[in-house]
Amino acid sequence: MLSLREACHTGGQCPRLWTLYAVACVRVRRVDDAKHALQQALWLRQRAKDGRRVRVMERLLIQLEASRTPDLPLRAA
């Protein structure tokens, strides 16, 4: 998880890395970090005009914010 975080913060232009980091955060119950990572990934996807993945990221964020204790798997569809 630490290496994912380092990769995100040094080469922070890859939405896939941010999403992987968010999943790792959810697994260890670091919900606030997961939300931040998903929001960053969402912003990068919106900037790239990747509409389908933007919708998926929005759904994941909604589920994460709605759940007090998030359980995997989060469902994007």
Side-chain angles (χ1 to χ4, degrees), residues 18-72:
W18 282 103
T19 304
L20 290 172
Y21 177 57
V23 170
C25 289
V26 168
R27 286 186 175 144
V28 296
R29 306 290 190 241
R30 295 181 67 172
V31 179
D32 290 335
D33 290 339
K35 286 179 188 177
H36 172 73
L38 281 176
Q39 288 168 345
Q40 182 67 23
L42 174 64
W43 180 77
L44 290 167
R45 295 284 185 199
Q46 288 171 333
R47 213 171 105 196
K49 297 184 186 341
D50 191 350
R52 291 186 310 170
R53 288 189 176 111
V54 164
R55 287 189 296 276
V56 169
M57 302 303 297
E58 289 170 341
R59 287 186 207 129
L60 289 173
L61 267 170
I62 288 169
Q63 288 179 39
L64 191 58
E65 290 174 353
S67 177
R68 294 274 178 193
T69 56
D71 292 323
L72 290 176

Side-chain angles (χ1 to χ4, degrees), residues 1 12 15 66 73:
M1 188 168 111

